């Protein structure tokens, strides 16, 4: 998504020497890799679209992953950037030498660039749980982002480990097909109710004929999500109270068995973890063949999962819906900045960057969806477009000859990080839950201010925060 965006915008701006490196054999990133049953966008599709390429044909308000994949491929085709992509070329090293970036790929190709944009994703490296005996299981086991379509789910005894957005989508998609479905829950989730009826053909035809209406819909959704994102950074905001009410009502009204209801009730505040949205998770968990397992997993053995109470949950298929290593970013790619400075060392405690975009002493290098940026229940396409607009202004400084090297100063980066950490303590993500937003210190690794502030910050780089070398 971010690589295609960059290629389109750079080409439109007249850059003729743009290369996109993609280690896989197909574009799409997240949407290429995550093909599990039930995968769908959980922000509205008309918002999860490039602002310059809206799509009248989304089938649902929250469309399936395969449609998003097809959309990204269509956008790349329509904007003629497919030819810029070198597939099967993983960048292994990116080193600043003689005032330019020297790139090495896994196949032995080399290239030299004046400016590098790392659009390598954030939910990209699967997180495999460390559970004793995992490799002794004789059935099929795979991570949700590595779905094995050769494995039969129909009439199988399926176990899902994890309760994030992926697990919730999976439960609803698999429960009617599996013989039994066991959901292994470490932490209960607040679930926001969701309506997702297919769009009617007339609605889609109308958007097709009237691009202004489609633009208006995109704008309305953007404003709605901006107000939501503004509210979420303040744990005491009315938006948070409203979300908490909706989630509580959803649980109270949809789960009829009081014992199950209590086991599904989180013991932390709604939106402390990334909000999970589902039209039918609770209904699915009340099907006769579904079981919520809350006894902790003790170990895995040949026949299935043994929980702490001594019970063996016999399984044919085990799905690890255990998320991603969210602090890897472009690593394991080796990035060597000015004077041999190794990013692996600079980030040895944890990743960090000025405004999540620029790293001191790594000139002419910028990240989209980099560390501590806005993540949450809003469109990362919108975020990437704003970040790209900012990065383009850095590229322009170099391209127009105002400087040859540009990177954030250490003092601006340190000050930003210190203010960010202070602000993060006041957000809903700091109110006492364990989540992938939290870093090793328990501090949310996210943009902790309003979305309005993020938009304002992305409008124009403050040049005093940058070192420009002639
Ligand atoms: C299951 C799931 C559901 C999601 N749902 C939503 C949602 O509803 N709304 C939302 O806003 N976001 C959602 N996200 C987040 C999603 O990741 C982003 O929206 C978006 O797709 C990220 O795009 P990206 O281009 O930044 O990164 P990615 O899609 O991760 O793409 C990065 C690309 O870089 C390539 N790459 C990485 N390293 C190298 C290298 N060294 N050399 C060459 N190529 C490399 C990868 O192969 C990949 O193709 C979801 C994520 C997941 C996993």
């Amino acid at each position: 998504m971010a690589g295609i965006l960059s290629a389109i915008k750079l080409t439109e701006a007249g850059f003729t020497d743009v290369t996109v490196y993609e280690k896989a054999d197909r574009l799409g990133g997240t949407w290429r890799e995550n093909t599990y049953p039930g995968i769908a966008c959980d922000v509205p599709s008309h918002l999860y679209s490039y602002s310059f390429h809206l799509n009248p044909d989304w089938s649902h308000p929250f469309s399936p992953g395969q449609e998003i994949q097809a959309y990204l491929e269509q956008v790349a085709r329509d904007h003629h950037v497919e030819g810029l992509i070198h597939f099967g070329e993983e960048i292994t090293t990116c080193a600043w030498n003689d005032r330019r970036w020297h790139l090495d790929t896994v196949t032995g190709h080399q290239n030299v660039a004046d400016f590098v944009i790392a659009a390598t994703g954030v939910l990209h490296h699967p997180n495999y749980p460390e559970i004793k005996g995992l490799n002794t299981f004789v059935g099929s086991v795979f991570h949700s982002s590595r779905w094995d379509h050769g494995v039969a789910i129909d009439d199988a005894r399926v176990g899902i480990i994890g309760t994030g957005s992926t697990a919730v989508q999976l439960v609803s998609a698999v429960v009617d097909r599996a013989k039994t479905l066991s959901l292994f829950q470490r932490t209960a989730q607040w679930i926001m109710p969701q309506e997702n009826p297919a769009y009617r053909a007339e609605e889609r035809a109308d958007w097709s004929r009237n691009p202004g209406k489609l633009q208006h819909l995109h704008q309305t959704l953007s404003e709605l999500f901006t107000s939501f994102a503004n509210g979420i950074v303040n744990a005491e905001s009315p938006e948070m109270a409203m979300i908490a009410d909706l989630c509580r009502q959803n649980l109270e009204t949809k789960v009829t068995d009081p014992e199950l209801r209590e086991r599904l009730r989180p013991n932390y505040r709604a939106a402390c973890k990334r909000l999970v949205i589902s039209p039918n998770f609770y209904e699915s968990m009340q099907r006769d063949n579904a079981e919520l397992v809350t006894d902790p997993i003790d170990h895995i053995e040949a026949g299935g999962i043994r929980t702490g109470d001594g019970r063996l949950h016999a399984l044919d298929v085990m799905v690890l819906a255990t998320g991603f290593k969210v602090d890897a970013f472009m690593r394991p790619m080796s990035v060597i900045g000015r004077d041999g400075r190794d990013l692996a060392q600079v980030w040895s405690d944890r990743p960090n960057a000025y405004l999540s975009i620029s790293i001191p002493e790594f000139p002419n290098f910028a990240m989209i969806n980099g560390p501590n940026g806005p993540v949450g229940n809003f469109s990362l396409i919108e975020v990437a477009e704003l970040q790209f607009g900012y990065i383009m202004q850095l590229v322009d400084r170099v391209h127009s000859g105002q400087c040859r090297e540009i990177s954030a100063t250490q003092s601006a980066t340190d000050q930003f990080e210190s203010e960010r950490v202070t602000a993060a303590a006041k957000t809903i993500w700091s109110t006492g839950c364990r989540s992938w937003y939290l870093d090793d210190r328990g501090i949310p690794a996210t943009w902790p201010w309003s979305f309005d502030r993020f938009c304002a910050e992305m409008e124009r780089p403050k040049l005093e925060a940058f070192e420009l070398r002639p």
Side-chain angles (χ1 to χ4, degrees), residues 208-226:
S208 230
R209 280 192 306 269
N210 299 297
K213 275 194 184 170
L214 199 54
Q215 196 66 50
H216 179 71
L217 176 59
H218 177 78
Q219 188 54 30
T220 309
L221 288 167
S222 172
E223 284 162 16
L224 188 76
F225 273 70
T226 298

Side-chain angles (χ1 to χ4, degrees), residues 247-300:
C247 292
R248 206 173 309 110
Q249 272 175 34
N250 196 26
L251 176 69
E252 303 293 352
T253 55
K254 297 234 182 92
V255 185
T256 49
D257 171 2
E259 193 257 327
L260 179 64
R261 193 188 306 137
E262 289 321 303
R263 292 201 295 135
L264 284 167
R265 189 189 299 279
N267 59 2
Y268 55 86
R269 293 180 58 178
C272 182
K273 289 160 84 75
R274 187 174 192 272
L275 262 183
V276 177
I277 296 168
S278 171
N280 54 0
F281 170 70
Y282 289 141
E283 287 86 342
S284 304
M285 286 311 299
Q286 292 172 92
R287 304 298 280 268
D288 288 343
N289 64 334
E291 185 185 7
L292 179 72
V293 182
T294 49
D295 272 301
I297 296 175
D298 184 71
H299 66 271
I300 293 172

Side-chain angles (χ1 to χ4, degrees), residues 381-399:
I381 297 190
E382 199 173 17
V383 169
E385 285 193 31
L386 289 161
Q387 290 175 327
F388 185 83
Y390 185 98
I391 292 169
M392 191 66 188
Q393 296 177 62
L394 303 181
V395 173
D396 276 339
R397 302 253 159 205
V398 176
H399 186 237

Side-chain angles (χ1 to χ4, degrees), residues 1-3 21-24 28-34 36 39-43 48 89-91 119-124 166 274 324 330 333 368-369 378-381:
M1 177 278 282
Y21 290 97
E22 170 53 62
K23 65 183 174 177
T30 288
W31 306 102
R32 172 193 71 232
E33 291 184 348
N34 290 267
Y36 59 81
I39 182 168
C41 208
D42 65 6
V43 300
Y48 194 75
E89 294 275 29
E90 176 171 1
I91 301 284
T120 48
V122 52
L123 302 180
H124 177 59
T166 289
R274 187 174 192 272
F324 298 87
M330 57 270 198
M333 176 171 98
I368 300 183
N369 288 327
F378 40 85
S379 166
L380 280 191
I381 297 190

